Amino acid sequence: MKTKKSRHAGKDSGAKKPLLNKRKSRVVQKKSELVNYVKLLSEMADLCCVCDTKGNIVYVNPVFEKFTGHKPKEFLGKSFKSLFYRENSKKALEVYTKTLRGESLRDELCFKDTGIVFEFKSNPIRDKSGNIIGVMGTAMDITERKKTEQFMSQLTSIIEMTDDFVGYADAKTLQILYINKAGRKMVGIGARDNVTRLNVADVHPEWANKMLSKKVFPDAMRKGVWRGECAFLHRDGREIPVLMVAMAHKNERGEVKTFSTISRNISKRKQM
């Protein structure tokens, strides 16, 4: 006996096909997006690291080896803690724990085997329901910046210890940007006074200001440096004769951005 086919069977089958095609299209699209995202991370100059909720590394981009001195396969599935010395490892674990609680943090750390200092940002990874399923961190190498900061700190310490006037000002406005301890004392400015409220003209007698505008600054702009005698003006009205070295500092476009000076008090020599 022949069974009769439902008149709607063909229609149901035909209706399912577009749905299946749509789902398949979405899956393909998501895979494509994932591939592009991984490719983007792989080409980043910054380190990218993803950890699961147990603190094990599940993904790192290729620069991991440059930053840490280790191949990615050495640490996949393992904890990140051994990448750091004790103090840094403790700090990294604290940040990771807080990020698992939903915080987005930023800090600085140093890798044990390379000495690379890096600034990192950590963010929680959530699923569609909003549950935290891991932590993603990105790290930028700031080793050279930290070395420069350390050098500048040492240089500032030296400048603050010298008996000479050391200062610099904006080349366009001649607003004073910095005067060292000895310079403040030379012109009667207090240790806590805000020198950025002053102009170069405020710390020189009138004749010296004319010389600065007509001779010193133009020569420094042309040659990079000017050397000669000049004078500062103390707040009590006294003139302080100095042997001045004035320099013009240019940016990468060749524009003079600041003037600086190192000036030695020659009052005693003048009195002889």
Side-chain angles (χ1 to χ4, degrees):
M1 201 172 171
K2 292 182 181 179
T3 31
K4 293 182 180 180
K5 292 184 180 180
S6 170
R7 287 182 299 172
H8 302 291
K11 291 182 181 179
D12 289 344
S13 176
K16 287 179 181 178
K17 283 183 180 180
L19 289 173
L20 289 172
N21 289 337
K22 281 183 180 179
R23 286 174 188 168
K24 190 181 287 186
S25 177
R26 285 189 196 127
V27 170
V28 171
Q29 185 179 352
K30 285 183 179 179
K31 282 184 178 179
S32 177
E33 288 173 358
L34 183 61
V35 168
N36 289 334
Y37 187 61
V38 171
K39 185 179 178 183
L40 178 65
L41 293 177
S42 299
E43 293 173 353
M44 282 175 61
D46 294 343
L47 171 63
C48 177
C49 178
V50 177
C51 292
D52 60 21
T53 53
K54 294 180 180 179
N56 296 319
I57 296 172
V58 295
Y59 172 81
V60 289
N61 61 345
V63 294
F64 177 82
E65 186 172 355
K66 178 185 175 183
F67 272 71
T68 67
H70 296 275
K71 293 186 181 299
K73 64 181 181 181
E74 295 177 47
F75 275 85
L76 288 176
K78 297 178 182 177
S79 172
F80 56 80
K81 290 189 287 185
S82 60
L83 291 168
F84 310 100
Y85 286 117
R86 186 175 178 180
E87 285 304 310
N88 275 258
S89 180
K90 184 179 177 182
K91 187 194 286 189
L93 186 58
E94 286 175 358
V95 170
Y96 167 77
T97 304
K98 288 180 180 179
T99 307
L100 274 182
R101 294 177 191 151
E103 296 183 49
S104 293
L105 301 170
R106 183 189 297 236
D107 212 325
E108 293 178 8
L109 287 172
C110 177
F111 283 118
K112 179 175 67 176
D113 296 322
T114 58
I116 287 178
V117 182
F118 61 95
E119 180 182 76
F120 73 92
K121 301 174 189 175
S122 66
N123 295 286
I125 302 171
R126 300 177 187 270
D127 61 17
K128 288 184 178 180
S129 301
N131 301 310
I132 295 174
I133 57 174
V135 170
M136 179 175 177
T138 54
M140 178 174 66
D141 186 347
I142 59 168
T143 308
E144 290 306 314
R145 190 180 86 190
K146 296 301 286 186
K147 285 180 180 177
T148 300
E149 287 175 359
Q150 186 178 11
F151 171 76
M152 292 303 295
S153 177
Q154 292 170 346
L155 183 60
T156 301
S157 297
I158 294 169
I159 289 171
E160 287 298 321
M161 291 299 292
T162 184
D163 292 329
D164 295 334
F165 182 111
V166 179
Y168 58 91
D170 183 275
K172 188 175 182 180
T173 65
L174 296 184
Q175 175 194 11
I176 294 175
L177 302 174
Y178 169 80
I179 299 177
N180 70 337
K181 184 179 178 181
R184 286 169 177 263
K185 185 178 179 181
M186 190 182 292
V187 294
I189 297 173
R192 295 185 179 181
D193 289 351
N194 185 2
V195 296
T196 62
R197 294 178 179 176
L198 300 174
N199 191 276
V200 169
D202 296 323
V203 295
H204 294 281
E206 189 176 347
W207 68 266
N209 281 319
K210 289 179 180 178
M211 188 175 79
L212 288 169
S213 62
K214 293 181 179 180
K215 176 68 177 173
V216 178
F217 293 147
D219 280 7
M221 291 175 72
R222 284 196 304 271
K223 304 174 184 176
V225 64
W226 177 90
R227 294 179 179 87
E229 290 189 11
C230 194
F232 282 102
L233 182 67
H234 194 281
R235 281 185 167 177
D236 64 10
R238 289 182 293 117
E239 287 189 17
I240 299 95
V242 295
L243 189 61
M244 177 182 284
V245 177
M247 292 161 282
H249 305 276
K250 298 179 181 180
N251 61 17
E252 62 279 1
R253 295 189 296 275
E255 302 165 338
V256 176
K257 299 300 291 182
T258 56
F259 290 119
S260 68
T261 181
I262 302 173
S263 299
R264 178 158 296 179
N265 189 335
I266 56 171
S267 297
K268 291 182 179 179
R269 195 175 83 179
K270 287 287 187 179
Q271 291 169 3
M272 291 175 66

